[in-house]
Amino acid sequence: MHKKKRVLIVDGYNVLGAWRSGMGRMSGAGLDAARDQLTELFKDYAGYAGQQVILVYDAWQSSRMVRTEEKLGPLTLVFTRKGETADQYIERLVDGLAQDIQLDRCEVRVATSDGVEQTVVLGRGATRLSARELLAEMEYTRAAGRRHVNAVAKPGRSTVMERISEDVRRKLESMRRGGD
């Protein structure tokens, strides 16, 4: 059975607003710094969660004439162009995935707290989650990933030589000493 592709599309400024309001220490940070920090969190989350994440930031009121898309591992960072909202971009993206959603080849979730946008993406076959739900999921996934890494790490097994078989170790030692 083919594994279903998982895609999370995030309305960046919508989630950024919820994240900043939920973290008092971030509320005073500049927008660029906060956006960069959130982007880093999403890069980690995409890796832990094993899904493609598309993080979309509005540029509709800026002077940015072209849309930019930057691939950062499992994260794609998108800045829309002037006159294009994140909602418009997200809706087109979901439309483009609609057939794969319908054929159950792809699971698409959209993270936004915008009620109208939630209704639109639900109507196109994607599922929705609020910004706060996503932030809670990210924290849970990150904590679970850390627990897994700690459980897999074996104390006292910190060198390569300790992890290989005795037979291979003897052969390597023989090679090191110039033996055959």
Side-chain angles (χ1 to χ4, degrees):
M1 180 88 188
H2 191 261
K3 190 173 179 178
K4 188 187 304 189
K5 180 179 176 180
R6 296 175 60 225
V7 179
L8 172 65
I9 305 168
V10 180
D11 184 330
Y13 285 127
N14 194 275
V15 173
L16 183 65
W19 183 59
R20 289 179 77 175
S21 71
M23 303 180 70
R25 63 178 163 65
M26 277 304 303
S27 61
L31 183 60
D32 288 345
R35 189 177 52 228
D36 291 347
Q37 287 180 349
L38 187 64
T39 299
E40 287 301 314
L41 287 176
F42 272 108
K43 278 177 29 183
D44 287 347
Y45 173 72
Y48 279 124
Q51 64 185 318
Q52 179 185 1
V53 176
I54 302 168
L55 180 56
V56 183
Y57 289 109
D58 277 326
W60 73 280
Q61 289 184 324
S62 77
S63 60
R64 181 186 296 263
M65 296 310 290
V66 295
R67 177 186 314 124
T68 60
E69 297 180 14
E70 182 180 0
K71 195 89 166 116
L72 305 165
L75 174 72
T76 301
L77 180 61
V78 177
F79 286 93
T80 65
R81 67 181 181 278
K82 181 179 180 161
E84 180 183 38
T85 66
D87 291 350
Q88 291 167 333
Y89 179 86
I90 290 167
E91 289 168 18
R92 277 195 313 278
L93 193 55
V94 173
D95 282 345
L97 295 167
Q99 186 174 11
D100 285 338
I101 295 169
Q102 200 169 41
L103 295 173
D104 204 31
R105 293 188 293 217
C106 185
E107 173 192 334
V108 177
R109 299 183 311 148
V110 177
T112 181
S113 292
D114 181 309
V116 172
E117 184 66 6
Q118 288 178 357
T119 302
V120 169
V121 298
L122 283 170
R124 294 177 178 171
T127 56
R128 67 99 195 139
L129 66 160
S130 73
R132 293 197 189 287
E133 288 170 329
L134 175 61
L135 292 170
E137 179 182 300
M138 288 173 69
E139 183 54 39
Y140 175 81
T141 302
R142 187 177 177 141
R146 279 185 295 221
R147 284 192 303 273
H148 175 74
V149 166
N150 290 338
V152 170
K154 294 185 174 38
R157 309 274 298 180
S158 59
T159 67
V160 171
M161 290 301 281
E162 292 172 331
R163 293 185 199 129
I164 59 176
S165 70
E166 182 63 35
D167 184 49
V168 171
R169 248 186 291 185
R170 277 195 299 264
K171 288 178 183 175
L172 287 172
E173 182 61 24
S174 174
M175 289 170 61
R176 185 181 72 80
R177 292 179 184 210
D180 49 318

